[in-house]
Amino acid sequence: MITKHSLNGRWQWRACGETEYREGIVPGSVLSDMLRLNLIEDPYWRCNEYAARELMAQDYCYRRTFVVDAAELHHDRAELVCEGLDTIADLRLNGHFVAHTDDMHRTYRFPVDKLLREGENEIEILFSSPLQFVREEDARNDIHYASTGCLRGNAALRKAHYMFGWDWGPQLPDAGIFRDIRLEYTDTARLEDVRIRQEHLEEGVRLVFQTRAALLTDGGYLVDACVTAPDGQTFAVRSAWGEPLSVLIPSPRLWWPNGLGEHPLYAVTVQLVDHAGTVQDTYACRVGLRTITVSTQPDQWGSEFAFVVNGVKIFAMGANYVPEDNLLPRVTPERSRRLIADCAAAHFNCLRIWGGGYYPDEALYDACDEYGILVWQDLMFACNVYALNDHFEENIVAETRDIARRLRHHASLALWCSNNEMEWLWADEPVRIRGHHPRYKADYLKIFELILPRALRECDDATFFWPSSPSSGGAYDAPNCPDRGDQHYWEVWHSGKPFTEYRTHHFRFCSEYGFQSFPHSKTLATFTLPEDRNIFSEVMESHQKNGMANSKIFTYISDYFLYPKDLDSVAYISQVLQLKAIQYGVEHWRRNRGRCMGSLYWQLNDCWPVASWASIDYFGRWKALHYGARHFYAPVTISACEEEELSPRISYWLHNDTLEPRQRRLEVTLLDTDFRVLWQTEGTFTAPPLSAVNCIQADFSPWLQPGSRNHLVARCRMYEGNRLLEERTTLFVKPKHFRYGTPVYNVSARETDDAFLFTVKSDRFCQYTELCFTDLDAVFSDNFFDITAPEGVTVSVPKAGLPAGVTADSLLRSLTVRSVADSYALPRE
């Protein structure tokens, strides 16, 4: 029988070289303990990052006492289990050395039977400076490359790379016990591994159980397996230890990604029982009954790259996830769950967990299971040059086995990927990586195409493996080739190419591309003083880690919009640009469904308040992009495609990424800024399952006389019956040349049982209308919308999550409204 003795809770800590101990909380970290005790200001405030970084040049000691009673000493085995040590640590128990660790991605189990004593015991963990380690490593090795904003030398340490900086994150390499730590006492036997395989048969789904146990005493053991269906029905079986064990589930409810069906989960319990009928150990998880792989079959364009779920090729829609915070104790299950709920609300069906961070807590994967979000899981290697040696190999194999065992039964797990951008880096050998010894290029192949795939297969041979991202299949064979594999595309943004450039590329699966924006002015205010609120101030530039990014934003603004009148307007317009950029790519690739089968934009979220590519900022505030994703990622939606930018000839498409045919009525209208209808056509169209259909080709040339292009709007609406579901508008000039005029808004509010409704009207056409509350945060049912008719637009805000006591009137008083026409200063008359 397993008995667990938690060592979480109150500890003591001190900086080495000091004598005074202070109270610490475990799980936690050095910086979070300092913050809690008001020893430092928040590292995210102004330029505090740099002083906080230097605190991590010191070593820190954590200790606590705990009591062991006589009964605990009589167990057959005692182990110290550490689920998360960050990172370089020496462990001592009652003054005796236990172990040295240097990999935050591993779960450690250390035998401590002979070190425990009855009564009071003391555990001490000395954390050596990660900052000092990487600085010394950089000085002594011959590796000169690290990713933008990242401290060199970090590749030698198995610590989340982003903690040493990135082009969207700070240099804050924290330390501490960031996950559970406990003692485990075992009597007679313990389950060491439970592996569940699925066999999808005509008569149902068979779950086959493979178990491994540490049997400390002789005797007959039994294994019980019980599967509980979502409706409560149970399927149970028992077998003798070592004998085959499986459960057949007839009439299974299949698990589907978001937008394609339900996401039912089956609860599984496996118990190891001794000859006396005593349960010695229990393993529990939830599984989704499904098949998932990736098809790379040859086709007329090269080779496809498509997720195949339950035999159906799906178009993957989502983004790239980065760690949710640099201070890990701030990442809570509630926060992760909210983030995944926000993904599902924007119709994501896939999320790539990027390889420069750390493996998230179980709460995130559980939420992906429940919301139907496929997980593309990178191993934690990114944008670095790695030197292979025996100790490094031992660490990376152990951590890979750990994470494979932890994640392999999640319904959402769809793909393992060795690393981020490293095959591409070595194959192209740009200037920044040239000059490295050839052994490092050889080490790359050994690590990522031999050692790690083998470690994964040992623990999970059911999940599709991909050698890198981007890749065409490995071995330096044209990674990032547009005709096969997955692609990263950064010509829009890094090279300054226009949004329309997306339409010249027909990628097979675009797993990274993006465009930056500033967060809302509310978020800017959380790290600035009023005097800092200039894009080029020291504080603002400190919260912009991508080199020339601010100038890029202004260059794109100058191409599309008039010069914003203040910082608040700069933030707003930058978000509109971000939405426009990503929408161009997504809609183009969805129109080419079959040739392209995936869009994962960079990036979903932030790890601190910053200007970045995220669609949801550090505080969970939706940017324009995330509201846009709610439309361009909708399973059934529409898109407009000009023959070329600003062309009068536009084709309108109906997209259907569901398993059923969808019939919709499309209405195409030409109107002016006063909502006058100049021309209109409509038709009812059916899109087959999993398709994109070109429905209407409109030519507006007869109405676009000289001088009229700057006040006419093409609008396409999609209806189901008489219910308006989607709308797209297209201008015939760039927004900076469009005659918006000065809008006059009329806003009303009313309350329903579970929501507040707001109707926003204007006396003229408005584009990218944003609603925001001045004194609270909320997610609207729609935002950054266009007003194209006198009746305006009605949106809702759920009551859940709003402060108690708010009313429609109080919310209305707090509501602000703006659109593009409000973002620039009008000339004085």
Side-chain angles (χ1 to χ4, degrees):
M1 184 178 299
I2 304 295
T3 303
K4 298 181 180 181
H5 180 157
S6 174
L7 297 178
N8 292 349
R10 298 184 185 279
W11 287 53
Q12 293 180 312
W13 68 275
R14 64 177 174 85
C16 294
E18 296 180 357
T19 57
E20 179 187 359
Y21 276 90
R22 298 179 171 89
E23 183 183 83
I25 299 296
V26 170
S29 73
V30 171
L31 291 178
S32 63
D33 280 334
M34 289 182 172
L35 271 170
R36 185 176 46 82
L37 297 173
N38 296 316
L39 299 176
I40 59 171
E41 288 187 314
D42 194 305
Y44 302 164
W45 171 249
R46 304 191 79 207
C47 296
N48 284 350
E49 166 199 348
Y50 310 108
R53 177 190 64 197
E54 294 308 309
L55 291 172
M56 301 316 299
Q58 301 182 72
D59 301 337
Y60 293 89
C61 180
Y62 276 72
R63 72 178 186 185
R64 69 159 291 171
T65 59
F66 58 94
V67 174
V68 175
D69 60 35
E72 289 175 311
L73 291 179
H74 285 88
H75 289 286
D76 295 320
R77 175 182 291 181
E79 291 180 307
L80 176 64
V81 181
C82 308
E83 294 189 356
L85 297 176
D86 181 13
T87 293
I88 310 171
D90 287 303
L91 290 77
R92 293 184 179 275
L93 184 57
N94 294 326
H96 298 281
F97 178 77
V98 175
H100 173 81
T101 72
D102 55 3
D103 190 335
M104 75 173 289
H105 306 303
R106 292 181 61 176
T107 296
Y108 292 98
R109 306 183 73 97
F110 304 117
V112 293
D113 314 64
K114 298 178 181 180
L115 301 180
L116 294 172
R117 62 193 179 207
E118 185 176 352
E120 186 173 86
N121 292 252
E122 182 180 67
I123 183 172
E124 182 181 68
I125 304 179
L126 171 65
F127 289 98
S128 298
S129 164
L131 186 59
Q132 195 64 22
F133 176 94
V134 301
R135 286 172 172 171
E136 292 174 0
E137 177 67 24
D138 180 45
R140 67 174 171 252
N141 70 30
D142 59 348
I143 296 172
H144 58 76
Y145 173 72
S147 188
T148 303
C150 194
L151 294 171
R152 291 202 304 262
N154 75 89
L157 184 61
R158 294 307 299 149
K159 177 177 173 66
H161 295 334
Y162 84 105
M163 292 183 174
F164 296 98
W166 218 267
D167 58 1
W168 38 261
Q171 296 177 354
L172 289 172
D174 206 353
I177 308 166
F178 73 98
R179 283 185 174 138
D180 290 347
I181 182 169
R182 64 184 178 273
L183 290 169
E184 283 193 5
Y185 300 105
T186 305
D187 287 326
T188 72
R190 176 173 62 83
L191 285 169
E192 290 187 326
D193 192 29
V194 175
R195 189 169 183 173
I196 306 169
R197 301 177 187 274
Q198 298 187 23
E199 296 177 354
H200 288 247
L201 312 168
E202 287 187 8
E203 60 268 29
V205 174
R206 185 183 304 278
L207 298 182
V208 179
F209 299 89
Q210 179 182 347
T211 59
R212 189 176 75 247
L215 304 179
L216 306 181
T217 62
D218 294 332
Y221 289 90
L222 301 171
V223 181
D224 289 342
C226 181
V227 180
T228 303
D231 63 2
Q233 185 179 7
T234 60
F235 307 88
V237 66
R238 167 177 281 189
S239 73
W241 169 252
E243 296 297 320
L245 182 68
S246 64
V247 173
L248 179 67
I249 303 172
S251 304
R253 292 178 57 192
L254 295 184
W255 185 95
W256 289 95
N258 188 31
L260 285 134
E262 296 180 338
H263 334 297
L265 298 171
Y266 288 71
V268 176
T269 302
V270 177
Q271 293 183 325
L272 183 64
V273 183
D274 66 16
H275 63 280
T278 303
V279 175
Q280 292 297 320
D281 200 0
T282 300
Y283 171 83
C285 70
R286 296 183 302 174
V287 300
L289 306 182
R290 84 294 183 267
T291 62
I292 301 179
T293 190
V294 174
S295 172
T296 57
Q297 293 299 310
D299 60 17
Q300 64 266 44
W301 301 291
S303 296
E304 67 180 357
F305 192 92
F307 284 107
V308 185
V309 182
N310 300 325
V312 176
K313 293 178 183 177
I314 74 163
F315 192 103
M317 297 181 282
N320 287 258
Y321 166 97
V322 302
E324 295 167 56
D325 215 303
N326 267 72
L327 301 180
L328 299 188
R330 290 178 169 176
V331 182
T332 64
E334 295 76 20
R335 180 174 170 183
S336 296
R337 185 175 184 81
R338 174 189 168 190
L339 184 63
I340 299 305
D342 287 344
C343 292
H347 301 297
F348 284 28
N349 60 25
C350 188
L351 197 64
R352 176 179 175 231
I353 298 180
W354 168 77
Y358 69 104
Y359 298 104
D361 295 338
E362 209 67 16
L364 183 131
Y365 298 101
D366 286 342
C368 288
D369 293 344
E370 293 163 17
Y371 284 100
I373 309 295
L374 295 173
V375 171
W376 169 317
Q377 179 67 62
D378 281 4
L379 300 182
M380 290 300 126
F381 304 86
C383 302
N384 260 310
V385 174
Y386 297 93
L388 183 61
N389 56 54
D390 289 346
H391 180 65
F392 188 82
E393 180 175 353
E394 177 190 357
N395 262 343
I396 63 176
V397 168
E399 71 180 54
T400 300
R401 288 171 176 162
D402 282 349
I403 196 61
R405 290 177 182 135
R406 176 157 80 90
L407 300 186
R408 65 190 174 195
H409 296 146
H410 279 281
S412 54
L413 181 63
L415 178 149
W416 292 110
C417 178
S418 267
N419 66 76
N420 174 73
E421 293 190 345
M422 289 166 46
E423 183 192 8
W424 184 25
L425 195 70
W426 277 114
D428 287 356
E429 290 197 8
V431 172
R432 63 185 183 274
I433 201 172
R434 288 178 193 159
H436 285 103
H437 194 283
R439 68 176 177 273
Y440 295 126
K441 191 170 185 178
D443 283 350
Y444 171 87
L445 290 177
K446 295 174 187 174
I447 294 169
F448 298 107
E449 299 194 13
L450 178 64
I451 295 170
L452 295 184
R454 180 183 294 162
L456 278 173
R457 284 194 300 271
E458 289 174 5
C459 301
D460 181 13
D461 56 3
T463 304
F464 183 85
F465 171 78
W466 195 236
S468 185
S469 181
S471 181
S472 296
Y476 302 135
D477 180 18
N480 219 32
C481 173
D483 300 323
R484 51 199 168 108
D486 73 308
Q487 291 75 41
H488 292 191
Y489 180 72
W490 285 103
E491 292 299 298
V492 177
W493 180 254
H494 283 308
S495 296
K497 292 191 176 180
F499 305 156
T500 51
E501 188 72 12
Y502 285 122
R503 294 180 179 174
T504 67
H505 297 279
H506 297 81
F507 300 126
R508 309 317 307 266
F509 190 113
C510 202
S511 51
E512 252 198 50
Y513 64 106
F515 192 93
Q516 263 207 16
S517 71
F518 294 102
H520 193 275
S521 55
K522 283 184 180 180
T523 297
L524 297 178
T526 65
F527 64 84
T528 61
L529 291 170
E531 58 264 34
D532 301 324
R533 291 166 196 163
N534 183 299
I535 294 299
F536 306 111
S537 73
E538 181 183 14
V539 171
M540 288 292 292
E541 288 188 341
S542 180
H543 287 252
Q544 167 57 276
K545 299 297 187 181
N546 184 234
M548 300 300 292
N550 287 348
S551 65
K552 285 187 174 72
I553 290 173
F554 273 95
T555 297
Y556 278 104
I557 288 176
S558 70
D559 193 23
Y560 285 95
F561 291 96
L562 294 178
Y563 194 84
K565 63 186 179 184
D566 52 26
L567 178 59
D568 184 49
S569 299
V570 169
Y572 161 74
I573 286 295
S574 73
Q575 290 192 27
V576 170
L577 279 167
Q578 184 186 35
L579 164 56
K580 284 175 63 70
I582 303 305
Q583 183 176 349
Y584 260 92
V586 172
E587 292 184 344
H588 166 65
W589 292 318
R590 288 192 71 178
R591 284 191 290 268
N592 287 274
R593 192 190 195 286
R595 185 171 185 178
C596 180
M597 289 300 285
S599 156
L600 302 177
Y601 63 74
W602 185 270
Q603 64 204 70
L604 170 65
N605 60 304
D606 284 324
C607 64
W608 74 317
V610 67
S612 79
W613 297 268
S615 62
I616 299 177
D617 78 15
Y618 173 74
F619 294 101
R621 296 178 177 123
W622 287 28
K623 293 183 180 180
L625 172 56
H626 210 76
Y627 280 106
R630 215 172 212 175
H631 295 283
F632 60 64
Y633 276 162
V636 181
T637 192
I638 51 174
S639 69
C641 183
E642 312 98 305
E643 188 175 90
E644 57 187 30
E645 189 175 30
L646 309 180
S647 167
R649 288 172 289 279
I650 304 174
S651 58
Y652 294 96
W653 292 67
L654 177 60
H655 302 268
N656 178 17
D657 273 282
T658 74
L659 301 179
E660 302 293 334
R662 302 292 178 178
Q663 186 179 82
R664 297 291 186 265
R665 176 167 61 90
L666 302 190
E667 174 192 271
V668 176
T669 304
L670 182 68
L671 52 96
D672 65 15
T673 53
D674 293 322
F675 306 135
R676 287 190 291 261
V677 174
L678 306 180
W679 176 83
Q680 188 173 84
T681 187
E682 66 174 59
T684 298
F685 305 91
T686 299
L690 310 172
S691 70
V693 179
N694 188 344
C695 297
I696 296 176
Q697 298 80 44
D699 187 350
F700 298 100
S701 300
W703 292 271
L704 299 180
Q705 303 303 320
S708 66
R709 296 176 67 98
N710 61 3
H711 65 275
L712 296 182
V713 181
R715 180 186 71 192
C716 181
R717 285 180 162 181
M718 181 181 78
Y719 293 88
E720 184 177 25
N722 292 320
R723 186 163 67 101
L724 175 61
L725 299 178
E726 288 285 347
E727 179 179 279
R728 297 289 187 275
T729 60
T730 309
L731 305 184
F732 300 100
V733 295
K734 291 186 175 181
K736 64 182 180 180
H737 298 145
F738 191 80
R739 286 170 44 191
Y740 290 103
T742 305
V744 176
Y745 304 107
N746 180 284
V747 187
S748 59
R750 63 187 177 91
E751 183 176 356
T752 67
D753 290 341
D754 57 2
F756 293 97
L757 304 183
F758 301 89
T759 298
V760 185
K761 298 180 181 181
S762 173
D763 63 337
R764 60 182 58 244
F765 168 73
C766 294
Q767 202 169 24
Y768 298 109
T769 308
E770 181 199 21
L771 306 183
C772 182
F773 295 119
T774 57
D775 55 358
L776 58 86
D777 289 322
V779 173
F780 294 85
S781 61
D782 197 10
N783 213 342
F784 294 89
F785 50 81
D786 297 345
I787 300 176
T788 64
E791 63 269 20
V793 175
T794 298
V795 298
S796 64
V797 174
K799 287 183 177 179
L802 292 177
V806 297
T807 65
D809 286 342
S810 67
L811 289 174
L812 193 56
R813 287 193 298 270
S814 174
L815 189 68
T816 63
V817 182
R818 66 173 161 189
S819 64
V820 171
D822 303 301
S823 68
Y824 49 85
L826 294 171
R828 294 183 178 178
E829 295 184 0

